[in-house]
Amino acid sequence: MIEDEHLTEVVLVGHSYAGLVVSSVANAVPDRIAHLVYLDAMVPEDGETAVDVMPGIQFAIDQATSSGDGWRVPPMPELPAPYGLFGVTDPADVGWLRAMLSDMSVLCLQQPVHLDAPAARTIPRTHIHNTVAPDSIVRRPVPALQPNGAPSEVWELPTGHDCMITMPVELSELLLKIAS
């Protein structure tokens, strides 16, 4: 779409697994990307997979390959409060979210990203971390400097993983601030 629509100065926001996706898009068309935002996202290095970034995913892959049809990983189960379903605890929102969730391909989680375009390293990046998460979720620390040499920018939202549901106004305001 970026190329077909001749888009430039694009701000890409990758949530969760989509951190790998926006990194790959920036690698493919770095001259069209103005900013990358990693929203409670996996942030890969060249050659890494989702499993490399978040090793705990391997357990879900192992479960998928040892039972069922072996090619897909079902959504995570709901956890007790305050974690809920990806941080969503309101019953109406949980019902809506559950209806939207689907399985994920095992191969998506095992496919390495290729980040070999030097121009992609010059793109400014911002990280948004959602701070309400089980202790079992381990996030890589953000380096003090971005790949372009600028100081890293990290924002926090006091909510669970799906902040677009639990804090939509605050997230929108933050994204507009980052984009300006």
Side-chain angles (χ1 to χ4, degrees), residues 23 35-36 38 43 120-121 123-127 146-148 153:
S23 297
H35 204 104
L36 292 172
Y38 292 97
V43 184
R121 297 183 62 77
I123 300 169
R125 300 155 187 238
T126 299
H127 302 262
Q146 298 180 40
N148 66 7
E153 183 176 17

Side-chain angles (χ1 to χ4, degrees), residues 85-106:
L85 185 60
F86 296 104
V88 178
T89 56
D90 177 83
D93 289 340
V94 168
W96 176 83
L97 178 57
R98 188 166 301 289
M100 302 301 291
L101 293 174
S102 63
D103 295 347
M104 184 154 192
S105 164
V106 166

Side-chain angles (χ1 to χ4, degrees), residues 128-150:
I128 300 173
H129 293 166
N130 300 334
T131 61
V132 178
D135 292 337
S136 62
I137 303 297
V138 179
R139 177 188 341 241
R140 285 182 173 169
V142 175
L145 296 177
Q146 298 180 40
N148 66 7

